[in-house]
């Protein structure tokens, strides 16, 4: 089972790996050629969009749910975020890198973002199925992990959406604002106490929130507030779960003793997900470093394996996952690199169509 969004995060991790010389540029290019070739020649798409899950041998859809057996626009946006970042990185004049860029552009320009407005509605829809059509009827909006979906839809060279779709569909004409304070920290957007921390991660692997603002929020303030509210909740530990502390914190979607759960302050069962604190490095560097040292030095091989930190643990239940999820591993690598060098932010934000699309939505940033 290959996850489309996690693959996008993996592509960005690969770029970081090449840049840090863990692998050579030639090795990174060869892997990217293999990935892009598979996406072009094998992977099933629907109006240019990819499914949530696919078979890594054949490219056929593996349904994520009964009716979720076709396009997933949000997962597709994570993949495109990664591919555009790789396009900007592999900028050499030799034929192999030029061909890779052309192939990425072909995939990017094939996504029919505007078609996912259904009937020209001022909102994007998350899913479409060849068997069930629009039955899932899930609008992409509010404040969640999908800001990048609207940014890329507005940035498309071929099937762009107008600003009204962003304002009405995503921002709900301002209803995404929160403005309440939690422990003295004001949260500009989103649900009570912020929701799972992946809201601050997935879209911002490429989107640089530093100094980024639009009509609705300052996104640097948003993500820092979200991270610190999550941290303070774990430190105060109102449910008295064993193990929570200033060094052991972080609630987000991950594996769980009961399967999978979107952990957050209002949905907390004692499960800590390393990706929550570690992917928040750009927002809470001191608190994230304390967590990393605790997970690595104190919990040791209970939380650390051959591919990095395992997905989650629950000290209250003495439960430790032995699993890795691409959507949790990838952001750790990418956000540590962004904290250290800004590499992935700089690459993604250098895309000319992204600059144009974001300006069209009313974004302001020193990086546009």
């Amino acid at each position: 089972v290959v996850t489309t969004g996690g693959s996008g995060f993996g592509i960005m991790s690969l770029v970081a790996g090449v840049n840090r010389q863990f692998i050579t540029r030639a090795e990174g290019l060869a892997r990217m050629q293999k990935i892009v070739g598979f996406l072009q020649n094998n992977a099933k798409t629907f109006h240019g969009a990819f499914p949530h899950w696919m078979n890594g041998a054949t490219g056929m859809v593996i349904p994520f749910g009964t009716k979720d057996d076709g396009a997933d626009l949000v997962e597709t946006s994570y993949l495109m975020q990664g591919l555009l970042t790789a396009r900007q990185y592999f900028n050499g004049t030799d034929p192999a890198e030029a061909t890779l860029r052309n192939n990425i552009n072909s995939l990017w320009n094939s996504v029919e973002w505007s078609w996912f407005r259904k009937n020209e509605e001022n909102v994007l829809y998350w899913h479409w199925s060849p068997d069930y059509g629009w039955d899932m009827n899930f609008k992409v909006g509010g404040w969640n992990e999908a800001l990048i979906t609207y940014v890329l839809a507005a940035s498309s060279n071929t099937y762009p959406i107008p600003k009204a779709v962003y304002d009405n569909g995503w921002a709900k004409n301002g209803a995404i604002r929160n403005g309440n304070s939690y422990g003295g920290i004001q949260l500009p957007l989103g649900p009570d106490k912020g929701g799972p921390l992946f809201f601050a991660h997935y879209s911002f692997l490429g989107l640089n929130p530093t100094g980024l603002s639009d009509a609705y929020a300052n996104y640097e303030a948003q993500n820092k507030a979200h991270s610190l509210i999550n941290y303070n909740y774990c430190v105060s530990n109102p449910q008295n779960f064993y193990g929570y502390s200033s060094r052991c914190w972080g609630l987000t979607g991950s594996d769980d003793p009961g399967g999978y759960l979107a952990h957050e302050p209002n949905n907390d069962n004692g499960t800590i997900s390393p990706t929550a604190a570690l992917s928040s490095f750009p927002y809470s560097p001191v608190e994230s470093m304390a967590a990393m040292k605790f997970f690595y030095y104190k919990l040791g091989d209970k939380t650390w394996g051959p591919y990095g930190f395992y997905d989650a643990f629950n000290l209250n239940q003495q439960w430790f996952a032995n699993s890795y999820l691409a959507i949790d591993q990838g952001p750790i690598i990418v956000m540590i690199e962004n904290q250290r060098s800004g590499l992935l932010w700089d690459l993604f934000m250098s895309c000319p169509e992204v600059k144009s699309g974001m300006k069209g939505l009313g974004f302001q940033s020193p990086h546009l």
Side-chain angles (χ1 to χ4, degrees):
V1 177
V2 170
T3 174
T4 298
S7 297
F9 303 163
I11 288 165
M12 299 177 87
S13 304
L14 193 94
V15 169
V18 172
N19 207 57
R20 294 244 163 231
Q21 299 181 330
F22 295 135
I23 57 173
T24 66
R25 189 177 182 98
E27 288 170 324
L29 176 62
R31 178 53 60 95
M32 280 305 306
Q33 289 170 318
K34 188 172 185 179
I35 292 168
V36 170
F38 182 86
L39 293 173
Q40 280 197 304
N41 301 322
N42 301 86
K44 180 78 173 153
T45 61
F46 309 87
H47 295 271
F50 291 83
H52 191 128
W53 282 346
M54 67 180 95
N55 183 305
T58 66
M60 291 296 103
V61 178
I62 295 175
F64 193 71
T66 302
K67 294 185 177 181
D68 192 353
D69 63 349
D72 185 314
L73 196 65
V74 174
E75 292 285 315
T76 297
S77 66
Y78 300 147
L79 178 61
M80 292 299 149
Q81 179 178 227
L83 288 171
L84 289 174
T85 300
R87 183 194 76 184
Q88 297 302 99
Y89 185 76
F90 289 101
N91 59 358
T93 55
D94 59 288
E97 294 198 13
T99 299
L100 180 72
R101 292 194 298 275
N102 288 336
N103 290 341
I104 289 173
N105 281 332
S106 176
L107 290 167
W108 156 236
N109 290 323
S110 295
V111 183
E112 298 176 27
W113 303 93
S114 55
W115 187 81
F116 287 86
R117 293 170 64 183
K118 199 159 73 171
N119 300 312
E120 294 295 297
E121 294 176 39
N122 279 334
V123 65
L124 292 172
Y125 283 82
W126 200 302
H127 312 93
W128 181 82
S129 161
D131 297 317
Y132 301 98
W134 302 102
D135 275 10
M136 289 191 69
N137 200 38
F138 199 89
K139 295 176 180 179
V140 185
W143 175 254
N144 56 34
E145 68 271 35
L147 176 62
I148 189 70
T149 309
Y150 277 86
V151 166
L152 288 175
S155 302
S156 173
N157 302 309
T158 44
Y159 298 95
I161 59 165
K163 186 173 184 289
V165 181
Y166 176 75
D167 291 326
N168 291 278
W170 170 252
K172 299 186 174 178
N173 296 309
I176 58 169
R177 291 191 184 98
N178 183 318
N180 294 320
S181 291
Y182 305 94
I185 298 172
Q186 188 177 43
L187 185 69
L189 300 174
D192 180 62
K193 300 187 181 70
L197 267 176
F198 64 72
F199 289 5
H201 302 153
Y202 295 172
S203 288
F204 297 97
L205 303 184
L207 286 174
N208 187 345
T210 312
L212 180 67
S213 63
D214 69 354
Y216 306 104
N218 175 299
Y219 293 90
E220 184 176 2
Q222 166 68 25
N223 291 341
K224 286 181 175 178
H226 188 181
S227 295
L228 290 173
I229 289 165
N230 196 290
Y231 166 80
N232 288 340
Y233 169 86
C234 293
V235 173
S236 64
N237 191 15
Q239 297 194 62
N240 294 312
F241 287 123
Y242 177 74
Y244 281 26
S245 74
S246 62
R247 297 185 302 156
C248 186
W249 65 278
L251 307 179
T252 193
S254 73
D255 281 346
D256 176 272
Y260 181 92
L261 194 68
H263 310 98
E264 47 111 339
N266 292 322
N267 192 27
D268 177 22
N269 65 1
T271 300
I272 297 288
S273 316
T275 188
L278 304 184
S279 299
S280 296
F281 253 104
Y283 315 132
S284 51
V286 173
E287 297 84 356
S288 295
M289 184 61 82
M292 177 179 270
K293 289 179 175 177
F294 181 84
F295 300 154
Y296 186 77
Y297 290 114
K298 298 297 182 185
L299 299 179
D301 59 9
K302 289 187 174 68
T303 55
W304 179 266
Y307 302 109
F309 289 104
Y310 292 120
D311 201 54
F313 60 89
N314 188 313
L315 295 177
N316 206 60
Q317 299 182 31
Q318 290 298 298
W319 172 85
F320 296 89
N322 59 4
S323 52
Y324 298 100
L325 269 63
I327 55 171
D328 294 339
Q329 291 297 102
I332 295 175
I333 299 166
V334 173
M335 286 308 228
I336 287 176
E337 187 58 51
N338 278 334
Q339 163 68 6
R340 296 178 73 185
S341 72
L343 173 70
L344 293 316
W345 283 341
D346 290 346
L347 289 166
F348 182 77
M349 297 294 283
S350 74
C351 295
E353 55 270 70
V354 170
K355 289 177 182 286
S356 174
M358 291 182 73
K359 286 175 183 171
L361 292 181
F363 280 95
Q364 295 181 305
S365 163
H367 308 283
L368 286 179

